[in-house]
Amino acid sequence: MEDLQAGQLVVWPLVTKERFAELTGLSFDQVRGMVARQQLPTRKIGRHRLINLALVTSDCLHAEERK
């Protein structure tokens, strides 16, 4: 992390439900419900369930091709 310049964006493929809510403008409860209904791809690491942002992005980019 010392090699990062000020203002540099770091993209991590897994985010918490809280961070996903911040990024999308959805409420935490909406995101939690979507995870519970398996509408968002997740990965469990330890006792934490993280949203796979890389898969969400890929699904969005390829949604037009599926139409």
Side-chain angles (χ1 to χ4, degrees):
M1 294 297 261
E2 296 119 19
D3 297 339
L4 295 178
Q5 299 293 322
Q8 205 171 14
L9 177 65
V10 177
V11 179
W12 189 253
L14 301 172
V15 295
T16 63
K17 291 185 282 288
E18 294 86 359
R19 183 68 178 134
F20 188 81
E22 290 173 12
L23 292 170
T24 60
L26 297 170
S27 72
F28 175 75
D29 289 334
Q30 288 173 310
V31 173
R32 188 177 55 181
M34 292 173 77
V35 168
R37 290 186 301 275
Q38 298 180 349
Q39 293 175 322
L40 291 170
T42 62
R43 170 73 64 186
K44 188 164 184 169
I45 298 180
R47 62 185 176 112
H48 301 283
R49 184 157 297 278
L50 302 172
I51 297 170
N52 188 331
L53 197 53
L55 266 178
V56 172
T57 302
S58 177
D59 286 349
C60 290
L61 292 172
H62 294 95
E64 193 63 34
E65 294 172 7
R66 291 189 293 259
K67 286 185 178 181

